[in-house]
Amino acid sequence: MNETRWLDDEEQRAWRSFVRMTEKLNARLHRQLQTDSELSLSDFAVLVGLTDVPTESLRVSELAAALEWEKSRVSHQITRMERRGLVERVDCPNDGRSAFVNLTACGRKAIEAAAPQHVETVRTLFLDHLTRAQLKALGTIADQVLEYLDSADAS
Amino acid sequence: MNETRWLDDEEQRAWRSFVRMTEKLNARLHRQLQTDSELSLSDFAVLVGLTDVPTESLRVSELAAALEWEKSRVSHQITRMERRGLVERVDCPNDGRSAFVNLTACGRKAIEAAAPQHVETVRTLFLDHLTRAQLKALGTIADQVLEYLDSADAS
DNA sequence: ACACTTTAGATGACGTGTCAACCAAATCTG
DNA sequence: CAGATTTGGTTGACACGTCATCTAAAGTGT
C-alpha cells in the first residue's frame, strides 16, 4: 500500500472547478430543455441519434452503440418516450429478436422545435465565455482524455 | 425569431468531445467508487462535506448550501445514507425545525478508506493526461464559465 | 396574544440509470 | 438435427434527482 499522492493546490482547485462547472452546466441545460421543450437531455440524445440517420430508425442495439448507452438504459428510455409518442417500436422482420426504434412525426417536430433554443443555450452558458484558443485547447484536452478512456473501454 | 446560429465545425467537435468526456469520466468515477468502496459519488460528496467541518456535523440546509444541492435532494440522500449507518440525524435543540446531520464512525471509516483510491482514480483517468499548462488552462475556463453561471444564479 | 409569513425540512410521485435476471430467437457444434 | 451458446432485448429492483406539496416551528406586525 503506497502513500497516497493527494492533489496539490492547483490540481485541487482546477479539478473542483471543473466538476462544479460540469454539474452546473448540465443542470442548466437540462432545465432549459425541460421547461422550454418538455424534453430531457436523454430524450434529446435519443432524438438526435435517430435524426442523424437518413431512415430515422435504428435498432435498439445500434442506438445503444451510437449513444454509448447500455441496452437496458435505451430500452427503459424508449419505453418512456414511446408512451409520449416521440418514438415507436417496430418488430424487425429479418430478426425476430430485434426491434426498430422509429422517430415519429411528433418526435421530429419536438426536436426541430427544441434544437435551436438548445444550441442557443449552449452558447449562452458556455461557448460565449471561451475564446477560440480556449475552445481549441478544451477540445484537445477532451480528446486526449477520451483517447485513454476509450482505449480502457476496449480492454 | 432570429436565424439559429448553429455550431461551426470546431465548436461542434469540441462541445461533443467535452460532453462525451464528462459523461464517461463521471461514469467511471462512479463505478470505481461503487465497486471499490460501496459508495456513490453522492455519498462521497456528503461525506466530504461533513468531514470538511471540524464538528463533522451540519444542518441539512448548511449541507445543501455547501454542496449546492436542493434541500430535498439532501434530505433524500441523508435518508438513504442513514439507513446504511453512514450518517445520523439529530434534532437541533435551539431550533425545533432544524436537524443536524452527523458523520458516524462508520461514515468516517468509509470515507477514509475510499478517498485515496478515489484520488488515484482521478489521476489515472484524468489528471495524468493533462500537462500543467493544460490543467491551468482548464481551471481558468471553468472559473470563467462558473463566474457567469454563479452570477446567473443570483438573479 | 393572534393572525401572517417565512423558514427548515420531509414526503410522494415520477423520470432517470444501473445491475442482475430473464426470455426467446439465432447460431454454432457435435 | 438436438443441445448448448450467444445475441437482442425486456423487466424488476433499487439508487438517484426534481418538482410540488405539506407540516411545523420561528419570526413579524399589529
Side-chain angles (χ1 to χ4, degrees), chain B residues 53-68:
Chain B
V53 301
T55 54
E56 298 191 334
S57 170
L58 286 173
R59 283 175 310 173
V60 172
S61 53
E62 292 172 325
L63 197 48
L67 302 174
E68 301 185 274

Side-chain angles (χ1 to χ4, degrees), chain B residues 71-141:
Chain B
K71 285 183 211 299
S72 92
R73 179 178 175 185
V74 174
S75 187
H76 282 303
Q77 185 67 32
I78 294 306
T79 300
R80 289 186 296 257
M81 292 178 72
E82 201 177 16
R83 269 206 297 270
R84 293 190 289 146
L86 296 168
V87 298
E88 57 178 357
R89 276 191 174 91
V90 176
D91 288 339
C92 176
N94 318 343
D95 189 331
R97 299 163 297 181
S98 199
F100 282 112
V101 181
N102 293 355
L103 189 64
T104 62
C106 169
R108 191 179 320 98
K109 231 179 66 175
I111 190 175
E112 280 169 3
Q117 253 303 353
H118 180 64
V119 170
E120 197 48 43
T121 308
V122 170
R123 285 201 184 286
T124 308
L125 297 186
F126 188 64
L127 297 177
D128 280 356
H129 307 284
L130 307 194
T131 65
R132 268 290 150 168
Q134 287 181 316
L135 183 70
K136 223 187 266 266
L138 182 64
T140 304
I141 289 173

Side-chain angles (χ1 to χ4, degrees), chain A residues 73-133:
Chain A
R73 179 177 175 187
V74 174
S75 187
H76 282 304
Q77 185 67 33
I78 295 306
T79 301
R80 290 186 296 259
M81 292 178 73
E82 199 176 19
R83 269 206 298 272
R84 294 190 290 146
L86 296 168
V87 297
E88 57 179 358
R89 274 189 175 90
V90 177
D91 288 338
C92 177
N94 317 344
D95 189 330
R97 298 164 296 181
S98 198
F100 282 113
V101 180
N102 292 354
L103 189 64
T104 62
C106 170
R108 191 177 321 98
K109 233 178 68 174
I111 191 177
E112 279 169 3
Q117 253 301 356
H118 180 65
V119 170
E120 197 48 44
T121 308
V122 170
R123 284 201 185 285
T124 309
L125 298 186
F126 188 65
L127 297 177
D128 280 356
H129 307 286
L130 307 194
T131 64
R132 268 288 150 169

